[in-house]
Amino acid sequence: MKHRPAMAGYKTILAIVAGFAAAFVLLGGISVGYSPISIVLLAAVGVLFGAVAAPEIEPGLFRRPILWQMSFTVLGCISVAALLGAAFEGYALAAIVGIVAGYLGPYWIRQVRLP
């Protein structure tokens, strides 16, 4: 097996995270508009959800991948609740969905096909 420098793994993760951010801005802006604040929030949500895939792409870089995935999924779900202007119950539901989706991250991420 050919040894890759550690920096190559970080570059791959950065490219995936940037791709998710761009996709969220382009596709999410269709429904919520392209105001400066919505662009920033959509990009932040894309970065958070892109970071969920990082331990599956480069597993050697993470000691606790489940904790990483759960944290970023919860932050992403709470950000979506904020973008939608949810009430307290919406934030609570977002946190619960984030915990479950983050815990199950290794299973659903494998279903996503990258080009």
Side-chain angles (χ1 to χ4, degrees), residues 3-88:
H3 178 69
R4 289 186 340 173
M7 197 56 135
Y10 291 114
K11 288 180 183 178
T12 303
I13 291 170
L14 184 62
I16 296 295
V17 168
F20 268 83
F24 269 67
V25 169
L26 291 174
L27 300 175
I30 293 170
S31 63
V32 297
Y34 291 101
S35 69
I37 190 71
S38 67
I39 289 172
V40 169
L41 285 174
L42 286 168
V45 171
V47 165
L48 292 172
F49 282 116
V52 173
E56 298 301 315
I57 296 167
E58 293 292 336
L61 298 177
F62 299 93
R63 290 189 335 184
R64 294 181 179 89
I66 295 294
L67 183 60
W68 172 275
Q69 290 171 323
M70 286 176 63
S71 300
F72 278 101
T73 307
V74 168
L75 288 172
C77 288
I78 289 175
S79 298
V80 169
L83 186 64
L84 296 174
F88 174 76

Side-chain angles (χ1 to χ4, degrees), residues 84-105:
L84 296 174
F88 174 76
E89 293 84 6
Y91 285 99
L93 180 62
I96 292 168
V97 168
I99 290 169
V100 171
Y103 183 76
L104 297 174

